Amino acid sequence: DTAVIIDKTAMITNPGAASRQGEVNGVRNYLRSKLNSSWSLVDLPKGTVDGGDVLFTGILQNLIKY
């Protein structure tokens, strides 16, 4: 739940439950160590989302605005 991976994009989520928020750094560090430069690693800048909140329709679009 702390990462949603589609194609070559890994989105690091911000779990809503306080008990799950400690997982984020470990998952981010693991993915950075395993993914090469052809991958995108995206951190959500704010808000909360869990992997189960995501519905993939077959089209990957950048919905995050900075």
Side-chain angles (χ1 to χ4, degrees):
D1 268 356
T2 54
V4 176
I5 301 173
I6 301 171
D7 294 331
K8 287 195 168 198
T9 300
M11 180 181 70
I12 304 299
T13 66
N14 292 323
S19 62
R20 306 272 329 266
Q21 291 172 354
E23 301 170 16
V24 174
N25 286 333
V27 170
R28 181 188 300 109
N29 292 337
Y30 176 81
L31 289 173
R32 278 191 182 136
S33 74
K34 298 297 180 187
L35 304 180
N36 63 38
S37 61
S38 67
W39 281 73
S40 297
L41 185 61
V42 178
D43 280 290
L44 292 177
K46 54 187 165 183
T48 61
V49 66
D50 292 287
D53 298 333
V54 177
L55 171 66
F56 181 59
T57 63
I59 301 170
L60 183 61
Q61 293 182 346
N62 184 5
L63 300 178
I64 301 170
K65 294 182 180 181
Y66 294 93

